[in-house]
Amino acid sequence: MLDVVRLRVLVTVARRGSLTAAAKELHYSQPSVSHHLARLEAETGAKLIQRAGRGIRLTEAGKLLAERGAEIIGRLDAASEELAAHVGLRSGRVRLAAFPSALGTFVPGAVTCLARSHPGLRINLTETEPPEAMRLLRAGRVDVAVVFRYDDTAPEDGDIQLIPLFDDPSYLLSDTPPGELWEHADSPWIAGCDRCRSHLLEVCGEAGFEPRISFTSDDIVAVQALVAAGMGLTLLPGLALSAHRNPHVHAREVPGSTRHVYAAVYGDPPHPPPTQVLLSALRAAVPAQNPLASAPPRS
């Protein structure tokens, strides 16, 4: 059986990139770190670390074990926090990861309500896109991940539970009333993150053309500024328009172009009390910010 302490040492070395940095973070001496790694290699029968010039690097076996070890250590740390909350050792902690437009709309309201109703609960927020949020969730570094998926997004593994929050429609943005999507086959386009870019390509493909992408930016303020300046058209989800709306852009909802917003948690219910109250707060915050329940942007 793998020793958890030595596994934590390997994970820290992999993350920090050197024995010295890992020793400093763990409050160990460097010889102690080297000893733990040597013992871990003896336990596994695999070479995990190799010298590279004046430093070190992980072997393929070391990378594999460090990746799996990060998930194991994360789950153990999360279990410790959950148990502490259950037995009343402290009020508990809950950690949430969410994508930018969620953090710019309904998430602050949920967190504010949670802080008022449970003032002893520590709340940590991380802004990140869904793929990284799911990695943090699997590794036990967050308790809830607010993510979005499109209809063709690959399913998650069986340990992840997706709790639906709402559907978020897409809008076609232009500096003039945009009309129909197919009318812009020859227009320049502005793309966003990789997943949003893929969605843009798919939607335009269904309209019968491949968009000519002239600019790329993940910043919704910059994207709308480019649109307002007549530099191209783009697709943005309703949450992004709720988070920031340039008054000089026109928007029209694109039928059938919707992403689905979820709260993702690890494992089946019942969830730990801090996680459960956060999920309840997220559900309660959704109606006021749901783009489908509010007046659509002007067109």
Side-chain angles (χ1 to χ4, degrees):
M1 181 179 295
L2 295 177
D3 183 279
V4 174
V5 173
R6 293 166 188 156
L7 193 59
R8 189 183 294 273
V9 170
L10 177 66
V11 170
T12 306
V13 170
R15 178 163 44 81
R16 297 304 302 270
S18 74
L19 300 182
T20 302
K24 183 177 181 180
E25 179 174 320
L26 294 168
H27 303 290
Y28 290 170
S29 66
Q30 185 168 325
S32 179
V33 169
S34 297
H35 172 75
H36 280 301
L37 292 176
R39 293 298 303 161
L40 187 59
E41 288 184 330
E43 288 177 354
T44 60
K47 185 69 174 176
L48 304 175
I49 300 290
Q50 59 185 195
R51 294 290 175 182
R54 296 184 177 181
I56 56 96
R57 66 183 179 188
L58 271 65
T59 64
E60 290 303 314
K63 292 176 183 177
L64 175 62
L65 184 58
E67 181 180 347
R68 296 293 182 265
E71 296 182 10
I72 294 168
I73 296 300
R75 301 315 310 171
L76 286 172
D77 290 344
S80 178
E81 289 283 343
E82 292 166 9
L83 182 61
H86 272 296
V87 301
L89 296 178
R90 52 176 176 254
S91 296
R93 174 190 67 175
V94 67
R95 301 159 299 173
L96 172 67
F99 55 94
S101 57
L103 280 176
T105 51
F106 69 94
V107 167
V111 171
T112 298
C113 290
L114 189 59
R116 289 173 179 168
S117 60
H118 297 80
L121 186 64
R122 292 182 290 126
I123 306 169
N124 300 123
L125 295 178
T126 299
E127 177 187 309
T128 188
E129 295 293 340
E132 177 60 20
M134 298 302 278
R135 283 191 286 270
L136 294 175
L137 182 64
R138 291 190 185 93
R141 294 171 61 186
V142 299
D143 304 297
V144 179
V146 174
V147 299
F148 63 84
R149 296 166 54 88
Y150 293 103
D151 290 336
D152 61 348
T153 302
E156 300 297 337
D157 60 51
D159 292 327
I160 300 295
Q161 181 189 8
L162 295 175
I163 301 170
L165 293 179
F166 59 89
D167 288 340
D168 189 18
S170 295
Y171 292 87
L172 173 61
L173 270 62
S174 177
D175 62 331
T176 59
E180 300 296 335
L181 190 66
W182 59 266
E183 298 179 273
H184 301 285
D186 297 324
S187 300
W189 287 81
I190 304 165
C193 67
D194 288 342
R195 301 178 85 201
C196 298
R197 183 190 185 100
S198 297
H199 182 61
L200 171 64
L201 293 174
E202 178 185 358
V203 171
C204 291
E206 291 175 353
F209 68 95
E210 181 178 346
R212 176 168 57 88
I213 297 175
S214 299
F215 303 96
T216 300
S217 175
D218 293 340
D219 188 332
I220 61 174
V221 177
V223 167
Q224 292 187 53
L226 289 170
V227 171
M231 302 300 292
L233 295 89
T234 196
L235 287 184
L236 281 184
L239 274 186
L241 290 176
S242 296
H244 171 77
R245 178 63 186 273
N246 188 307
H248 302 294
V249 301
H250 296 254
R252 178 172 182 171
E253 184 175 342
V254 179
S257 175
T258 300
R259 67 181 185 178
H260 313 290
V261 180
Y262 298 91
V265 291
Y266 190 91
D268 296 322
H271 303 296
T275 299
Q276 193 58 55
V277 295
L278 175 57
L279 291 174
S280 298
L282 288 169
R283 292 192 197 98
V286 163
Q289 294 291 344
N290 188 344
L292 295 178
S294 60
R298 68 184 179 91
S299 61

